[in-house]
Amino acid sequence: MKVRNYREVPADTDIPDVALRSVISAAEAPRFSMPVFAVAVGSSTPLPTRESEHELFILSGRGKARGDKGERPLAPNDVGS
């Protein structure tokens, strides 16, 4: 088992106002990945384009999640799939 602090993983900043850390990648776990997004106030991430499942765990802040059933509010400690 590999253990690390997610803040030690370099952030990809290709999306404006979003820091993406791939804390577990396909190279480490072929059937699982774990990205950590830090999203600035007023910003968003692109809608997913791949067919795999997506889970959310909100550490802090507030936002909205969009899905096939519309938008849902997000708050700290919320979990979504």
Side-chain angles (χ1 to χ4, degrees):
M1 173 183 282
K2 189 173 190 175
V3 177
R4 72 182 84 141
N5 184 305
Y6 82 94
R7 293 179 183 177
E8 295 173 357
V9 176
D12 175 348
T13 56
D14 289 343
I15 303 168
D17 298 321
V18 176
L20 165 60
R21 290 178 168 86
S22 296
V23 296
I24 300 175
S25 69
E28 298 168 296
R31 295 178 301 278
F32 181 79
S33 67
M34 182 182 289
V36 175
F37 293 88
V39 183
V41 173
S43 297
S44 64
T45 60
L47 293 174
T49 57
R50 62 183 196 272
E51 295 291 322
S52 61
E53 293 185 27
H54 295 80
E55 292 76 31
L56 302 169
F57 179 56
I58 308 305
L59 297 173
S60 65
R62 297 189 178 279
K64 297 177 193 170
R66 286 190 198 127
D68 56 352
K69 295 180 182 177
E71 285 189 349
R72 300 276 317 250
L74 298 172
N77 304 314
D78 282 352
V79 176
S81 62

